[in-house]
Amino acid sequence: MTRTVPDTSLRRISIRSPRPGAILYLLLAGLLAAGCAVGPDFRRPDAPTVKTYAKEALPDRTAAAPVAGGEAQRFILQKEIASQWWSLFQSRALDDLINQAFAHNPSLAAAQAALRQAEENRRAAFGTLLPAANASAAVSRQQVTGASSGQSGVRIDPFNLYNASVAVSYTLDIFGGARRELEALQSQVDYQRFLLEGAYLALSANIVTTVVREASVREQIR
């Protein structure tokens, strides 16, 4: 009688744990993949906490003088002023002088040209985010002989050959480089626009100050 004895011996299964070096390589690869994006994202800076340019508060009313036009003046804070603030003087001669200066000032012309250049650069770079398509078409008049196909006696009439092709390409901005470039170009547009506004403000302020001083000197001489 034969008796079968089951094999009760334990079989060892070897499970290899990952090496510390391999784990380090995987972590480094993940960090590199995450760091390939061009950044960081733009964060608008906080607005300044100051509310006035002067350290001390301005009085509600200035002192009056016993002369023509010497009435007391009032300060109105936190009120919007029109862009053509010099029109508050209600002087046609002053308005004409400032308009003439705006039309013939080289500094303003240079600032306007710089702003247009910045805007055109941004428009040109914006095209990188859009697909590009090229299309071409051609037509030709051709005639072949039957000799090309081994049939010299066959006559083939002339025919028109039309060719048309369309090619579409698109650049994938995976890492955000093109978008970051657009943000930088937009900041240049904003910068040039603020410079232009500052040039207008400086020129108009200088003209008004000069006119007031000249009027004061003429009145003193008179």
Side-chain angles (χ1 to χ4, degrees):
M1 182 176 182
T2 304
R3 183 178 180 183
T4 303
V5 180
D7 187 5
T8 58
S9 60
L10 297 177
R11 298 180 180 179
R12 296 182 179 179
I13 301 176
S14 176
I15 302 177
R16 295 183 179 181
S17 59
R19 297 180 180 179
I23 297 177
L24 181 60
Y25 291 151
L26 291 176
L27 292 176
L28 290 177
L31 291 176
L32 289 176
C36 288
V38 180
D41 293 335
F42 174 76
R43 177 183 176 275
R44 185 181 297 276
D46 298 332
T49 57
V50 296
K51 297 182 179 180
T52 59
Y53 292 102
K55 295 182 180 179
E56 299 180 357
L58 296 175
D60 296 335
R61 186 182 298 270
T62 61
V67 294
E71 295 82 2
Q73 298 182 1
R74 294 183 300 108
F75 293 98
I76 302 177
L77 302 178
Q78 298 180 356
K79 186 177 181 179
E80 294 293 335
I81 300 179
S83 58
Q84 298 182 356
W85 55 272
W86 56 89
S87 61
L88 299 176
F89 292 100
Q90 299 181 1
S91 173
R92 181 64 179 275
L94 180 60
D95 296 342
D96 295 340
L97 184 61
I98 292 180
N99 292 331
Q100 183 180 1
F102 284 172
H104 301 89
N105 187 266
S107 298
L108 291 182
Q112 293 171 353
L115 177 59
R116 289 195 299 268
Q117 180 182 7
E119 292 175 344
E120 293 298 332
N121 289 336
R122 187 193 180 282
R123 292 191 185 98
F126 186 77
T128 58
L129 300 180
L130 301 177
N134 295 323
S136 61
V139 58
S140 60
R141 183 76 170 172
Q142 296 186 3
Q143 183 180 12
V144 296
T145 62
S148 60
S149 59
Q151 300 177 357
S152 57
V154 178
R155 181 178 179 276
I156 302 177
D157 296 333
F159 59 92
N160 296 328
L161 180 62
Y162 300 92
N163 291 323
S165 63
V166 177
V168 179
S169 62
Y170 181 74
T171 303
L172 296 177
D173 189 21
I174 301 177
F175 304 114
R179 291 188 295 271
R180 288 296 181 267
E181 182 180 0
L182 286 177
E183 291 177 0
L185 293 175
Q186 181 60 46
S187 65
Q188 290 295 325
V189 173
D190 297 337
Y191 174 72
Q192 295 297 337
R193 183 178 293 110
F194 288 136
L195 286 182
L196 179 60
E197 293 179 0
Y200 274 107
L201 181 60
L203 180 59
S204 59
N206 290 336
I207 293 175
V208 172
T209 302
T210 304
V211 169
V212 171
R213 288 180 177 177
E214 182 181 359
S216 175
V217 172
R218 288 180 181 275
E219 184 65 19
Q220 293 177 26
I221 294 175
R222 189 184 65 85

